[in-house]
């Protein structure tokens, strides 16, 4: 741990929360990740598939450098990282303080099931009498009140839903390991002792309290009370004053000796009030005057209960906070119109419900069937349900529903076959993200998805056929009908109902739609210093955007800590590992330590057979059994045993979540942690106990024992062949290169430099600022120039940033952590640098065009030319009566077959600006789909209200521009009025889109590939959106994809965060599972170099050896299986290990 | 005579199919237990020698299962496995093994059901073709 870095709180464990936590943890911060649900993953855990692969790639979020800091397994099973402390089922209850020192209270909801004791046998589920809708399956299936929250969780233990549970106790008696404690829930955990000699008072008081859920016991005398206090603990005592024998005051004094922490309320008759007051001097807190009514008693009890709960809250301090609470989804049944009868007709489902239906782990087991059992053969998706709906107060677009529907349509055809008809009814297909347009076109051409522009107004069930007939109005106003088996409503976003409360608690502000509002130009910053946000908290985002914004929020949180502490997480070392004795020449001597997880595994472990099996192998020196190996006495005694017995390898068998603890144990006992292996014996037990319905208990136990034995044997094979060879490390040069000094480059440079690392910024042109130099304001009305000036000054005055204008990067050689960079400056000067990481931010420009007479007809401008003209005298002197804007000029068709994302926003921005300058001007926007995603939708609404006319056109009927005497004449077919229009106009404005400033030479220089649209090719569109395939190189801003200014800022900060993951290390060390080369066997055939997907292998010609970059190698083993001489070996998966494992398997 | 219970060795990738196998286990899907899982990081690291060794030493069938195309954690390891297994199937009969004894599948993390189904299918298929020649010879 880096003591200077301090802890950062991340609230919300969805994709954004996990990403932010990983980023912070990987740069040396300790992270507290708090999630209200009992599992991580948020909404994405309910979605099995993501576009564009239409499968899942979540695991690609995991660290690729220093992989050993976390668990290398599917993220749906859970997240584990040395520096991330995870609190599930936990809520933040209070926040106070300021950046650098936020004091936060965390409250964990009781699960009532001890996860250590629970072995997942499911006996409790069988006996639970309560059925309730399963939220994980969007309410499509039922579950019991005791249940597993998510199907994948690593420690898949059960928990009790307190709202559904009737406290009948059936599960408690059914549980074979005594793992269930119903009293843990809420007030049941608050134990009250009622002491009164009068039976009627005693009983009625107890009864009232029990009815409210408190745990109550009674005592009839002072002596009995003291006896009970001596035997168990209570939180509150209601104590009568006047009792025979020992009176209340005396009991109080003695009770305080026995249980000093107990809260005591005296019960007194009116006559003895003075005694009660006296008693308060001896430690009673309050008194109740008899006779009292239940309300009085209960409010008093509740007050002390609340104090008890608050006292039990976990208190932490955090230097900064990242909020990633996500958004809620719209519930169509709440719409008073509900014309599609969601919730009434079973054939009408929401997109989330449909995702669960598609999931093989969901309620329909992945099969699409109608209620009558026939396969579903026609599905309609209806877009914009709950979005873009002024009557519902939703003047925004939910941004992600279009892509979700296309993906769902393709998946449905994958499940139900080629004959499935999949129709999407839409207003605008907002496919404006990177690669989205191509995906949609492919869905249309190869996937045979039909896209129908029209508004669906009603759904009518057909009694006989069971079909659902929908009626819709096409663009030209014609009423049409179609029949379907299933209707999927593409539901939009809503702010989480708690948002006002959260805004108050954390002190951020909300926007007009009720989402968290960000600072202008910085989407991850809230209005409160030190509190950042990411993901759908500020409006629905797809995975890519969430991941980018989470990295941006992380870099800002980390920066807050760096600036405040004036110390930087500089040169963060991997754990200081002392040199270990070289045991490579010794035969293996394995100490096997088997843990029974607090006796939970005793029921199914056959210790004798474990010992017998292990003893068969001469490499096993000792077999020891422990009860609770991961902590306390057992942990210490294992360290002692190792020191005494001198094994040279350690095998532990326990639950997988303890693996890192045993690494520490090995180090503490003086063993190389690379020679220690943990076998997971918990998962086999879970599987065996829960899976075999037919088997009786004895057979289950046998199966458990078998599976455990094979897990232990597998572990033994791994450990006894384990090798402590430490592959080479790369020393990190703590300096960054940023190519391009536009807003992306400057933002990235500032983020890195603020962390204390020097940055060289190389800019081709003679001034910084890039495209921001010609943009005056944004669609939201924020002034761009003051912002640019502020950033420019910060960059130019920053002591750690050096800007080189009129310079160009000529070469980048080397590898992550250590690049050699050559920069050509003005006047043929050449500069040489060394850098640890490289950020590409060379930007892009408006595409040039000769279409529609641009360049020949002076009335035809581009959007950029209009922006310039509007802010110069060029237009001011002219009278404008009519303006025509044409969207998608040369865009969204070959050869530039992508959407440039910003042009529709720009068109609306200019239309509104023109309207304010020339109130009588007539403006026509000719478009294909208006891409006003998110909150920019409201500007679109405003433009239409102000009389801007929007006319859709299709590719087969493009507009024509004919020169006229003054201005031009535009001819276009208007599908709404179903006729051709001729518009006389003063100027025609073309939206030509963005082209990246990224040639194939640039690609070669930086070792980066270009995507089909010649933008920077990222390693993974969703999960690693700013990383290049080449480790250590990152791309942000519009060289990566067309983006708005604030999106560019987020991507630049994300790239900076990724670069800091390298810069904060002294060396890039290898992980446990890494490939090595046995040079004596290697014939230098170089097949492995070609096979390596990470370019981690090179032929070192000087040494005549194949060299593996241990940091870049991910341990996939492609080299090992292609090597003809078995010279390429993956640690942990060598040929002898695999062979022996096969031997065990076929025994 | 006791019914023939085939032994199946499954090389599963650490990311997708291993998760699916866990899921099949914990979500009470019954699948035949003679399946022996060998976790590998990626199907792309499965050397044909491993498959042959398993068959020669007594496995009645071998499954290799990884992430769906395009989903490989290591970008393209599953494609490498596909090419390799295709070739291995071509020559499997020369070793005296029916090609049906080797199967390659893509099973995603949430496909517990598919994992159980593939296992059931393989068991019944192998039961139909009988024990592996090599293991018969060895016996």
């Amino acid at each position: 741990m880096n003591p200077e870095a301090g802890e950062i709180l991340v609230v919300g464990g969805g994709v954004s929360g996990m990403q932010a936590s990983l980023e912070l943890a990987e740069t040396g911060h300790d992270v507290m990740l708090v999630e209200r649900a009992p599992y991580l993953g948020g909404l994405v855990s309910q979605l099995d598939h993501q576009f564009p692969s239409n499968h899942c790639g979540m695991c690609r979020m995991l660290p690729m450098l220093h992989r050993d800091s976390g668990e290398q397994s599917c993220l749906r099973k859970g997240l584990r990282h040395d520096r991330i402390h995870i609190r599930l089922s936990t809520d933040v209850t209070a926040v106070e303080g300021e950046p650098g020192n936020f004091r936060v209270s965390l409250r964990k909801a009781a699960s009532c099931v001890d996860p250590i004791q629970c072995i997942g046998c499911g006996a409790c589920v069988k006996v639970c009498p309560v059925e309730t809708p399963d939220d994980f399956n969007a309410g499509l299936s039922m579950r019991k009140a005791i249940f597993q929250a998510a199907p994948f969780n690593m420690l898949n233990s059960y928990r009790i839903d307190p709202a559904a549970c009737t406290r009948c106790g059936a599960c408690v008696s059914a549980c074979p390991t005594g793992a269930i404690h119903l009293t843990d829930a809420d007030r049941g955990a608050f134990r009250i002792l009622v002491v009164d000699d009068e039976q009627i008072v005693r009983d009625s008081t107890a009864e009232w309290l029990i009815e409210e859920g408190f745990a109550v016991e009674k005592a009839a005398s002072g002596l009995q009370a003291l006896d009970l206090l001596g035997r168990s603990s209570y939180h509150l005592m209601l104590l009568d004053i006047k009792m025979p024998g020992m009176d209340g005051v005396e009991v109080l004094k003695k009770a305080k000796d026995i249980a000093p922490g107990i809260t005591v309320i005296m019960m007194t008759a009116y006559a003895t009030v003075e005694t009660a007051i006296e008693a308060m001097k001896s430690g009673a807190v309050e008194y109740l005057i008899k006779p009292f009514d239940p309300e009085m008693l209960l409010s008093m009890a509740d007050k002390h209960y609340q104090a008890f709960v608050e006292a039990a809250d976990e208190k932490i301090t955090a230097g900064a906070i990242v909020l990633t609470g996500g958004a809620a989804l719209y519930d169509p049944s709440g719409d008073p119109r509900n014309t599609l009868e969601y919730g009434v007709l079973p054939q009408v489902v929401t997109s989330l419900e449909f995702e669960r239906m598609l999931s093989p782990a969901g309620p329909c087991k992945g099969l699409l069937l109608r209620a009558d059992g026939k396969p579903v053969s026609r599905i309609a998706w209806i877009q914009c349900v709950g979005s873009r709906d002024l009557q519902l107060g939703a003047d925004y677009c939910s941004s992600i529903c279009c892509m979700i529907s296309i993906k769902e349509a393709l998946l449905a055809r994958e499940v139900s076959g080629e004959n499935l008809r999949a129709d999407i009814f839409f207003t605008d297909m907002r496919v404006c993200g990177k690669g989205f347009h191509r995906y949609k076109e492919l869905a249309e051409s190869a996937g045979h998805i039909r896209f129908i522009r029209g508004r669906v107004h009603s759904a009518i069930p057909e009694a006989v056929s069971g079909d659902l007939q929908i009626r819709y109005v096409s663009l030209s106003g014609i009423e049409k009908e179609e029949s379907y088996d299933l209707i999927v409503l593409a539901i939009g976003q809503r702010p989480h109902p708690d948002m006002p409360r959260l805004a108050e608690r954390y002190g951020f502000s909300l926007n007009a739609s009720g989402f968290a509002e960000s600072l202008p130009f910085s989407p991850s910053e809230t209005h409160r210093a030190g509190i950042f946000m990411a993901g759908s908290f500020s409006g629905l985002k797809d995975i890519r955007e969430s991941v980018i914004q989470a990295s941006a929020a992380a870099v800002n949180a980390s920066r807050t800590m760096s600036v405040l502490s004036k110390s930087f997480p500089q040169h963060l070392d991997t754990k200081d590992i002392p040199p270990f004795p070289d045991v490579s020449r010794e035969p293996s001597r394995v100490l096997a330590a088997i843990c029974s997880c607090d006796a939970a595994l005793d029921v199914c472990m056959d210790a004798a057979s474990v010992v017998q099996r292990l003893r068969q192998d001469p490499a096993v020196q000792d077999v020891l059994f422990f009860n609770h190996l991961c902590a306390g006495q057992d942990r210490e005694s294992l360290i002692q045993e190792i020191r005494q017995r001198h094994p040279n390898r350690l095998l532990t068998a326990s639950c997988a979540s303890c693996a890192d603890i045993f690494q520490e144990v090995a180090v503490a006992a003086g063993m190389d942690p690379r020679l220690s292996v943990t076998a997971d014996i918990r998962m086999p037990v879970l599987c065996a106990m829960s899976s075999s319905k037919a088997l009786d208990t004895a057979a289950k136990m046998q199966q458990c024992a078998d599976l455990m034995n094979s897990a232990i044997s597998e572990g033994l094979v791994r450990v006894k062949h384990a090798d402590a060879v430490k592959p080479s490390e790369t020393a990190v040069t703590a300096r960054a290169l940023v190519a391009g000094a536009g807003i992306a480059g400057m933002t990235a440079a500032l983020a890195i430099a603020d962390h204390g690392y020097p940055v060289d910024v190389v800019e081709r042109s003679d001034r910084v600022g890039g495209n921001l130099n010609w943009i005056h304001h944004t669609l939201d009305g924020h002034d761009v120039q003051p912002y640019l000036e502020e950033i420019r000054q910060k960059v130019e005055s920053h002591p750690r940033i050096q800007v080189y204008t009129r310079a160009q990067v000529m070469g980048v050689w080397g590898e992550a952590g250590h690049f050699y960079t050559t920069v050509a400056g003005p006047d043929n000067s050449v500069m040489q640098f060394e850098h640890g990481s490289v950020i590409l931010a060379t930007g892009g420009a408006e595409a040039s065009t000769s279409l529609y007479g641009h360049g020949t007809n002076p009335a035809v401008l581009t959007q950029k030319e209009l922006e310039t003209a509007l802010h110069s005298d060029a237009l001011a002197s002219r009278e404008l009566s009519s303006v025509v804007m044409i969207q998608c000029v040369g865009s969204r068709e070959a050869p530039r077959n992508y959407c440039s994302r910003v042009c529709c926003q720009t068109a609306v921005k200019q239309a509104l600006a023109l309207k304010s300058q020339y109130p009588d001007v007539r403006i026509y926007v000719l478009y294909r789909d208006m891409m006003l995603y998110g909150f920019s939708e409201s500007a679109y609404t405003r433009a239409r209200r102000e009389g801007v006319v929007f006319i859709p056109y299709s590719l087969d009927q493009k507009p024509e521009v004919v020169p006229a005497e003054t201005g031009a004449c535009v001819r276009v077919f208007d599908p709404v009025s179903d006729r051709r229009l001729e518009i006389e106009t003063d100027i025609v404005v073309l939206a030509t889109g963005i082209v990246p400033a990224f040639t194939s030479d640039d690609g070669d220089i930086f070792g980066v590939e270009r995507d089909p649209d010649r933008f920077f090719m990222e390693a993974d569109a969703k999960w690693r959106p700013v990383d290049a395939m080449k480790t250590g190189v990152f791309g942000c801003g519009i060289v990566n994809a067309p983006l708005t200014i604030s999106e560019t800022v987020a991507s630049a900060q994300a790239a900076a965060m990724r670069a800091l993951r390298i810069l904060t290390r002294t060396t890039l060390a290898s992980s446990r599972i890494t490939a090595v080369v046995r040079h004596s066997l290697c014939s230098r055939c170089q097949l492995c170099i070609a096979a390596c997907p990470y370019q981690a292998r090179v032929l070192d010609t000087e040494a005549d050896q194949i060299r593996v970059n241990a940091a870049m190698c991910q341990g996939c083993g492609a080299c090992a299986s292609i090597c003809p001489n078995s010279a390429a070996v993956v640690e942990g998966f060598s040929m002898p290990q695999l062979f022996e494992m096969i031997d065990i398997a076929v025994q | 005579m006791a019914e023939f219970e085939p032994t199946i060795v499954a090389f599963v990738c650490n990311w997708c199919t291993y998760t699916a196998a866990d899921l099949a286990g914990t979500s009470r899907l019954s699948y035949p237990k003679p399946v022996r899982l060998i976790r590998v990081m990626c199907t792309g690291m499965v050397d044909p020698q491993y498959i042959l060794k398993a068959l020669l030493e007594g496995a009645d069938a071998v499954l290799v299962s990884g992430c769906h195309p395009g989903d490989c954690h290591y970008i393209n390891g599953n494609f490498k496995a596909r090419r390799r297994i295709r070739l291995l199937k071509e020559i499997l009969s020369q070793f005296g093994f029916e090609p049906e004894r080797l199967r390659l599948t893509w099973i995603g993390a949430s496909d517990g059901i598919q994992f159980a189904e593939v296992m059931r299918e393989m068991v019944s298929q192998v039961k139909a073709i009988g024990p592996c020649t090599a293991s018969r010879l060895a016996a």
Side-chain angles (χ1 to χ4, degrees), chain A residues 27-46:
Chain A
T27 44
H29 297 282
D30 274 276
V31 180
M32 175 66 80
L33 173 58
V34 175
E35 165 61 48
R36 197 182 283 181
Y39 53 88
L40 291 178
L43 181 61
V44 174
S45 63
Q46 285 170 282

Side-chain angles (χ1 to χ4, degrees), chain A residues 209-220:
Chain A
L209 290 166
I210 288 168
E211 238 169 63
E212 289 299 307
F214 294 107
V216 183
E217 277 179 55
K218 296 177 283 189

Side-chain angles (χ1 to χ4, degrees), chain A residues 553-855:
Chain A
V555 90
N556 284 326
S558 168
R559 167 160 41 191
T560 303
M561 309 282 279
S562 292
V563 172
L564 280 174
S565 65
K566 303 236 178 348
S567 68
F568 312 105
Q570 210 153 1
H571 286 340
L572 169 72
D573 259 318
T574 43
K575 282 176 214 147
D576 269 337
I577 302 173
F580 298 105
D582 179 13
V583 297
S584 56
R585 302 272 166 194
E586 297 174 8
S588 293
R589 295 188 310 276
V590 180
L591 175 87
I594 320 283
C595 178
S596 66
C597 267
D598 239 356
L601 301 183
D602 279 349
V603 284
C604 36
M605 185 163 358
D606 181 355
S609 94
V610 170
V611 175
Q612 192 208 348
R613 221 169 139 158
L614 283 171
R615 285 279 184 203
Q616 281 172 2
D617 195 315
V620 176
Q621 178 185 319
D622 294 291
V623 184
L624 304 173
F625 287 85
F626 293 89
N627 193 32
H628 196 82
L629 197 45
C630 52
Q633 187 56 47
D634 280 2
R635 186 176 178 279
E636 290 310 311
S637 52
L638 175 60
I639 295 175
Q640 290 311 321
E641 294 287 357
I642 297 172
R643 286 190 182 141
Q644 282 163 20
R645 293 172 193 252
H646 294 294
N648 56 18
R649 280 169 181 75
L650 173 66
L651 170 67
T652 45
S654 69
C655 40
S657 54
C658 299
D660 49 342
I661 295 172
F662 301 133
Q663 300 279 307
E664 288 163 17
V665 165
V667 175
M671 277 179 80
D672 190 331
R674 287 164 190 268
L675 300 177
S676 137
V677 166
T678 298
D680 178 8
I681 51 172
R682 193 77 199 233
M683 195 46 122
V685 175
L686 277 177
C687 290
M689 291 310 277
S690 60
S691 65
S692 328
K693 278 179 241 169
L695 293 179
D696 58 23
T697 316
K700 269 188 183 180
M701 293 302 170
Q702 187 52 48
Q703 203 169 68
C704 264
D706 286 352
L707 286 171
M708 262 186 189
N709 266 333
S710 44
I712 295 173
S713 305
E714 191 199 313
L716 177 61
V717 171
R718 280 192 205 285
V719 77
K720 91 177 169 194
H721 293 286
D723 214 335
V725 176
K726 212 173 173 191
S728 61
E729 293 180 340
T730 314
V732 174
T733 309
R735 187 181 191 92
L737 168 72
V738 176
I743 192 62
M746 291 195 291
T747 305
L750 277 174
I752 294 173
D754 281 347
H755 279 83
Y757 301 101
V759 186
D760 297 305
V761 183
V762 178
E763 166 63 38
R764 264 177 229 202
S765 73
D766 56 0
R767 65 167 174 165
V768 302
N771 284 305
L772 260 60
N773 283 314
W774 60 266
I775 300 173
H776 293 84
H777 61 89
T778 65
L779 181 61
D780 313 330
H782 299 300
D783 276 337
V784 173
Q785 291 313 311
Y787 171 67
L788 174 59
E789 189 52 30
E790 183 197 325
I791 298 292
R792 192 180 64 76
Q793 278 181 10
K794 273 189 193 166
V795 167
E796 287 177 353
S797 63
H798 204 294
R800 280 180 289 272
I801 299 179
Q802 187 67 48
V803 182
Y804 303 91
T805 49
R806 292 194 291 142
Q808 203 166 338
V809 178
M810 301 308 291
V812 177
W813 293 277
E815 55 204 24
H818 198 181
F819 292 103
Y820 298 92
T821 323
T822 317
V823 175
D827 312 319
N828 298 324
S829 60
V830 174
M831 293 166 277
Q832 299 271 14
F833 298 99
E834 287 173 38
H835 292 117
S837 41
V838 175
I839 293 179
L840 201 58
T842 50
E846 188 186 59
S848 60
T849 186
S850 58
L851 294 167
Y852 301 111
H854 184 258

